[in-house]
Amino acid sequence: MTLAARPAFDRALWESDCWARLEQRQADADRAFVYGVVSTGIYCRPGCPSRLPRRENVRFFADAAAARRAGFRACLRCDPDGASRAEREAALVAKAVALIESAEGRPAFDAIARSCGMSRHHFHRMFKAATSMTPGSYFAAIKKRRALDSLGQGESVTTAIAAAGYGSPSRFYEGVADLGARPRALSRGGAGEHIRFTVAACSLGFVLVAATQKGICAIELGDGADALAADFRRRFARACLAEDAAFSQAVADVVTLVEEPSRAFALPLDVRGTVFQEKIWRLLREIPPGETMTYGELAAKAGCPSAVRAVARACASNAIAVAIPCHRVVGKGGTLTGYRWGVERKAALLKREGR
């Protein structure tokens, strides 16, 4: 096997790209390089707020250590040796998320902003850029999750609504209109809900397909039919489970999709998640068969380039395999990172799509 020769590093091209990114003050360039200014002897981040120097006075370095070896000293304004702006903002967002999640009742967003050393407007903008949600929307998603968790544990609807922090039942019902299952039914393990499910064999092992009256709510892959079925029955212990000819056809369509993941899938889906998760799942369905996207690229497409981990968690929370193609998201350099139903299945699906 003959390996292709690695292309030679073109420093002039690299420096031209660095200068273009410096001119645009691209925040994501802070990790890519630093630049030194000959006239001052100082090196800075690309996002430094100082005045743009003349091009002939600029030298580019891959990292701060290289700039120091060349005799430059660190800028006191942008602190290129410390955490980048993106890293500092990520830490502040993590702090804000912890405060929001631990608040009893509605969080005091002004106080949270002050604890992060920001105005409410700046805090709101930073939080949305990182999570693709406003602080208020994030808190609404937390309330919804808390209420659904309580319902799933058998709490009454009234108790779950009060414990989650809803001011009135109407607010709760507005927030969960897309559940596919009624809240009271969820509080009784799916009691009263008609959920059809079955397990079928496929070339990747076994596939469980489940559907509510709204559409397919789960496509799960596994090694054993009994284990898949047992887990589903545990989650919907009191649901009315049924099989009919129409659903058998839907299962056949899902098995065909597993065998040929590049085929169009026209069956309706009953998607359940937070606002952020559902946004990521919609974007996943826009990735064409045979193509892949990194978690970073998906985060950027969602409008939150710094929320790579949140995007990865949203992919991992997807319960509808193949139809919502989270298998098309890969790590840097095309590496096959974790997959809810096994990396081997992820590789097989991508191979079937011609990648």
Side-chain angles (χ1 to χ4, degrees):
M1 179 179 178
T2 302
L3 297 177
R6 179 177 294 178
F9 174 65
D10 189 331
R11 184 170 184 86
L13 181 62
W14 177 71
E15 290 195 356
S16 176
D17 178 66
C18 290
W19 176 250
R21 299 177 74 179
L22 175 58
E23 283 187 306
Q24 297 170 21
R25 299 295 191 183
Q26 294 182 2
D28 62 349
D30 279 359
R31 286 177 169 270
F33 63 90
V34 298
Y35 69 94
V37 182
V38 174
S39 57
T40 63
I42 290 173
Y43 69 92
C44 305
R45 302 177 185 277
C48 183
S50 61
R51 186 176 62 182
L52 184 70
R54 297 171 64 90
R55 175 65 184 90
E56 58 267 25
N57 290 333
V58 174
R59 303 292 182 270
F60 293 104
F61 302 96
D63 53 40
R68 289 195 296 271
R69 287 195 297 270
F72 291 89
R73 64 185 186 278
C75 173
L76 296 179
R77 295 186 69 183
C78 66
D79 187 19
D81 293 334
S84 68
R85 177 181 175 182
E87 290 170 333
R88 293 194 299 272
E89 289 189 348
L92 289 174
V93 169
K95 176 182 178 181
V97 164
L99 291 173
I100 292 172
E101 293 190 350
S102 63
E104 294 185 5
R106 183 172 178 81
F109 293 117
D110 285 339
I112 292 176
R114 287 194 299 272
S115 73
C116 293
M118 300 180 180
S119 67
R120 178 163 182 167
H121 173 73
H122 187 191
F123 167 69
H124 184 283
R125 185 174 58 185
M126 178 195 70
F127 193 95
K128 187 174 182 180
T131 66
S132 195
M133 303 172 71
T134 65
S137 296
Y138 185 82
F139 177 60
I142 290 174
K143 288 197 298 182
K144 177 180 176 180
R145 184 191 67 201
R146 288 173 179 168
L148 295 182
D149 286 346
S150 295
L151 291 171
Q153 293 170 8
E155 296 285 354
S156 69
V157 175
T158 302
T159 300
I161 289 175
Y166 284 95
S168 67
S170 62
R171 293 289 187 185
F172 170 67
Y173 282 98
E174 288 172 4
V176 297
D178 61 344
L179 279 179
R182 293 188 294 275
R184 187 172 297 280
L186 289 175
S187 72
R188 301 193 303 268
E193 283 300 308
H194 292 273
I195 303 176
R196 298 168 291 172
F197 93 97
T198 192
V199 180
C202 68
S203 60
L204 298 182
F206 292 89
V207 58
L208 179 144
V209 185
T212 65
Q213 294 176 345
K214 289 184 65 175
I216 302 294
C217 63
I219 298 176
E220 302 178 0
L221 300 169
D223 296 324
D226 292 343
L228 284 170
D231 181 64
F232 188 80
R233 289 193 181 97
R234 179 186 58 80
R235 285 180 282 154
F236 295 92
R238 301 181 183 178
C240 179
L241 307 180
E243 295 186 25
D244 57 39
F247 189 60
S248 296
Q249 182 57 54
V251 173
D253 290 344
V254 170
V255 171
T256 300
L257 180 67
V258 172
E259 304 303 323
E260 301 177 57
S262 60
R263 290 173 62 96
F265 188 70
L267 293 176
L269 302 180
D270 181 2
V271 179
R272 311 176 187 188
T274 65
V275 174
F276 180 74
Q277 286 174 333
E278 291 182 12
K279 179 176 183 178
I280 297 301
W281 297 340
R282 284 194 298 272
L283 292 176
L284 288 174
R285 300 192 74 187
E286 295 176 6
I287 304 176
E291 296 185 15
T292 58
M293 183 177 289
T294 66
Y295 292 100
E297 290 169 340
L298 184 56
K301 189 174 182 180
C304 47
S306 62
V308 177
R309 290 185 179 179
V311 166
R313 286 194 296 270
C315 290
S317 299
N318 171 35
I320 306 179
V322 192
I324 297 180
C326 54
H327 64 276
R328 293 176 189 159
V329 184
V330 297
K332 289 183 179 180
T335 56
L336 297 186
T337 53
Y339 184 55
R340 180 171 179 172
W341 297 284
V343 174
E344 295 80 4
R345 291 189 176 95
K346 183 173 187 173
L349 290 168
L350 290 173
K351 184 177 181 180
R352 292 173 185 183
E353 292 181 337
R355 181 182 177 272

